[in-house]
Tab-separated table of all heavy atoms in Angstrom:
chain	number	residue	atom	x	y	z
A	157	MET	N	19.717	29.058	-5.349
A	157	MET	CA	20.076	28.831	-3.933
A	157	MET	C	18.907	28.452	-3.024
A	157	MET	O	19.042	27.606	-2.243
A	157	MET	CB	20.760	30.113	-3.383
A	157	MET	CG	21.337	29.997	-1.986
A	157	MET	SD	22.353	31.481	-1.591
A	157	MET	CE	21.272	32.816	-1.717
A	158	ILE	N	17.800	29.060	-3.339
A	158	ILE	CA	16.602	28.732	-2.478
A	158	ILE	C	16.088	27.228	-2.735
A	158	ILE	O	15.763	26.528	-1.787
A	158	ILE	CB	15.461	29.790	-2.737
A	158	ILE	CG1	15.901	31.169	-2.152
A	158	ILE	CG2	14.172	29.247	-2.133
A	158	ILE	CD1	14.849	32.200	-2.606
A	159	SER	N	16.032	26.909	-4.066
A	159	SER	CA	15.533	25.632	-4.482
A	159	SER	C	16.314	24.502	-3.868
A	159	SER	O	15.848	23.421	-3.534
A	159	SER	CB	15.354	25.640	-5.957
A	159	SER	OG	16.593	25.691	-6.602
A	160	VAL	N	17.725	24.726	-4.037
A	160	VAL	CA	18.662	23.580	-3.427
A	160	VAL	C	18.528	23.491	-2.094
A	160	VAL	O	18.555	22.407	-1.502
A	160	VAL	CB	20.001	23.752	-4.061
A	160	VAL	CG1	20.988	22.819	-3.403
A	160	VAL	CG2	20.003	23.624	-5.537
A	161	PHE	N	18.563	24.657	-1.374
A	161	PHE	CA	18.554	24.589	0.108
A	161	PHE	C	17.351	23.908	0.677
A	161	PHE	O	17.295	23.150	1.527
A	161	PHE	CB	18.659	26.012	0.683
A	161	PHE	CG	18.758	26.091	2.193
A	161	PHE	CD1	19.973	25.939	2.854
A	161	PHE	CD2	17.583	26.165	3.015
A	161	PHE	CE1	20.059	25.887	4.238
A	161	PHE	CE2	17.675	26.223	4.401
A	161	PHE	CZ	18.858	26.036	4.965
A	162	LEU	N	16.165	24.200	-0.141
A	162	LEU	CA	14.900	23.484	0.361
A	162	LEU	C	14.639	22.244	-0.186
A	162	LEU	O	13.664	21.652	0.110
A	162	LEU	CB	13.738	24.520	-0.009
A	162	LEU	CG	13.703	25.853	0.608
A	162	LEU	CD1	12.517	26.717	0.233
A	162	LEU	CD2	13.761	25.800	2.157
A	163	ASP	N	15.580	21.834	-1.106
A	163	ASP	CA	15.551	20.496	-1.763
A	163	ASP	C	14.324	20.333	-2.665
A	163	ASP	O	13.627	19.290	-2.561
A	163	ASP	CB	15.581	19.454	-0.716
A	163	ASP	CG	16.182	18.221	-1.355
A	163	ASP	OD1	16.712	18.133	-2.378
A	163	ASP	OD2	16.048	17.034	-0.591
A	164	ILE	N	13.904	21.451	-3.385
A	164	ILE	CA	12.762	21.306	-4.329
A	164	ILE	C	13.209	21.718	-5.730
A	164	ILE	O	14.325	22.234	-5.927
A	164	ILE	CB	11.745	22.293	-3.817
A	164	ILE	CG1	12.271	23.732	-3.779
A	164	ILE	CG2	11.135	21.893	-2.532
A	164	ILE	CD1	11.258	24.776	-3.353
A	165	GLY	N	12.471	21.576	-6.723
A	165	GLY	CA	12.690	21.843	-7.987
A	165	GLY	C	12.798	23.385	-8.269
A	165	GLY	O	13.429	23.970	-9.115
A	166	GLY	N	11.952	24.075	-7.434
A	166	GLY	CA	11.938	25.523	-7.497
A	166	GLY	C	10.963	26.095	-8.563
A	166	GLY	O	10.802	27.336	-8.684
A	167	GLY	N	10.249	25.236	-9.243
A	167	GLY	CA	9.300	25.693	-10.374
A	167	GLY	C	8.203	26.556	-9.968
A	167	GLY	O	7.808	27.585	-10.615
A	168	ALA	N	7.605	26.251	-8.796
A	168	ALA	CA	6.466	27.061	-8.224
A	168	ALA	C	6.957	28.570	-8.067
A	168	ALA	O	6.151	29.479	-8.393
A	168	ALA	CB	5.961	26.453	-7.040
A	169	ILE	N	8.076	28.665	-7.688
A	169	ILE	CA	8.598	30.113	-7.471
A	169	ILE	C	8.972	30.632	-8.945
A	169	ILE	O	8.774	31.859	-9.089
A	169	ILE	CB	9.789	30.079	-6.574
A	169	ILE	CG1	9.554	29.467	-5.125
A	169	ILE	CG2	10.355	31.560	-6.266
A	169	ILE	CD1	10.712	29.415	-4.192
A	170	ASN	N	9.536	29.901	-9.661
A	170	ASN	CA	9.964	30.379	-11.092
A	170	ASN	C	8.788	30.959	-11.775
A	170	ASN	O	9.016	31.934	-12.541
A	170	ASN	CB	10.613	29.148	-11.837
A	170	ASN	CG	12.052	28.710	-11.352
A	170	ASN	OD1	12.604	29.421	-10.450
A	170	ASN	ND2	12.412	27.529	-11.818
A	171	VAL	N	7.720	30.185	-11.878
A	171	VAL	CA	6.435	30.634	-12.547
A	171	VAL	C	6.097	32.093	-12.047
A	171	VAL	O	5.884	32.900	-12.951
A	171	VAL	CB	5.301	29.615	-12.300
A	171	VAL	CG1	4.059	30.136	-13.008
A	171	VAL	CG2	5.636	28.334	-12.986
A	172	CYS	N	6.036	32.200	-10.839
A	172	CYS	CA	5.683	33.513	-10.263
A	172	CYS	C	6.596	34.615	-10.717
A	172	CYS	O	6.194	35.728	-11.002
A	172	CYS	CB	5.584	33.420	-8.692
A	172	CYS	SG	5.142	35.006	-7.890
A	173	ILE	N	7.923	34.328	-10.681
A	173	ILE	CA	8.895	35.311	-11.069
A	173	ILE	C	8.842	35.577	-12.498
A	173	ILE	O	8.996	36.752	-12.888
A	173	ILE	CB	10.335	34.718	-10.657
A	173	ILE	CG1	10.574	34.602	-9.137
A	173	ILE	CG2	11.476	35.630	-11.280
A	173	ILE	CD1	10.569	35.915	-8.484
Side-chain angles (χ1 to χ4, degrees):
M157 187 165 59
I158 292 169
S159 65
V160 170
F161 184 84
L162 298 180
D163 205 12
I164 57 176
I169 304 175
N170 292 346
V171 172
C172 180
I173 292 297

